[in-house]
Amino acid sequence: GTLSLKEMGTIFLDDIYMAYTRNGFSLFSPVLAVIPAATTFCEDYNSGFLKFILGREKKKHYIRETFLCSTISGGLTIFLPCLLADVFLLANGKLNIKENMIQGYSTVFDETVYADIQYVWGGIGLAMLLLVLAFLFGALWSDIGLLVSAVVPNKYAALSIPFAIYFVVHLF
């Protein structure tokens, strides 16, 4: 007979790992995180609109708001696709509990720092932690892009320099 996705699926944490390591999203995600805030700052600066903004509010307030918006938008840019993928994989996979484990089967997280928490709530605890880390990843790279755009107010530099930094770090 035919098998459903749930019957064919493995432990959903393994599916999450495979989905994140075998696609291009993780490689280009810093660029996605940078787009909302860094390019907006470049446009405000290069168009002269920033002078009108700073004429109405204090510089510290503008910096704080811009940094906060950059952090939130960059974090959500990475968090939301990961959340959608995780929900799909959880709905079509099996929980990480002993009943679903095959004799002698080990998960991809067994020899990592996540080994102790991979069984919390059937793996959902680790999935939630990975989502928090995805948000922080997006927030960090968005803020790096904002920093680059403040130093070099060119939207192409603001998009490419964080990607170049990430790619070099990724190679190492």
Side-chain angles (χ1 to χ4, degrees):
T2 60
L3 295 174
S4 67
L5 284 174
K6 190 130 183 119
E7 292 169 331
M8 290 188 311
T10 60
I11 303 297
F12 82 98
L13 287 176
D14 290 344
D15 293 338
I16 287 174
Y17 175 80
M18 293 301 173
Y20 291 158
T21 57
R22 294 187 177 179
N23 66 28
F25 180 74
S26 62
L27 182 61
F28 294 104
S29 56
V31 175
L32 295 174
V34 166
I35 289 172
T39 56
T40 304
F41 176 78
C42 288
E43 290 173 11
D44 287 348
Y45 181 83
N46 292 329
S47 69
F49 190 65
L50 186 58
K51 293 177 187 174
F52 296 115
I53 294 172
L54 293 177
R56 290 182 287 155
E57 67 180 88
K58 295 179 182 178
K59 190 188 297 186
K60 285 184 181 182
H61 183 62
Y62 174 76
I63 291 170
R64 186 175 41 244
E65 274 186 4
T66 304
F67 180 74
L68 183 65
C69 288
S70 170
T71 303
I72 292 171
S73 65
L76 288 176
T77 302
I78 304 302
F79 172 80
L80 291 175
C82 292
L83 176 66
L84 291 174
D86 288 1
V87 167
F88 175 79
L89 293 171
L90 175 61
N92 293 304
K94 298 174 184 163
L95 289 176
N96 199 13
I97 54 177
K98 297 200 186 292
E99 291 82 26
N100 290 335
M101 301 299 259
I102 301 169
Q103 182 81 22
Y105 179 80
S106 63
T107 67
V108 294
F109 295 105
D110 278 345
E111 300 200 15
T112 66
V113 295
Y114 305 118
D116 293 336
I117 60 171
Q118 70 176 328
Y119 297 105
V120 174
W121 301 323
I124 296 173
L126 178 57
M128 289 171 46
L129 175 64
L130 293 174
L131 287 171
V132 168
L133 293 175
F135 181 87
L136 293 175
F137 177 85
L140 172 72
W141 285 105
S142 180
D143 292 338
I144 289 172
L146 183 62
L147 173 66
V148 169
S149 71
V151 174
V152 182
N154 181 316
K155 67 180 178 180
Y156 301 110
L159 291 172
S160 62
I161 291 174
F163 173 71
I165 293 169
Y166 178 74
F167 189 72
V168 168
V169 170
H170 181 74
L171 289 177
F172 285 118

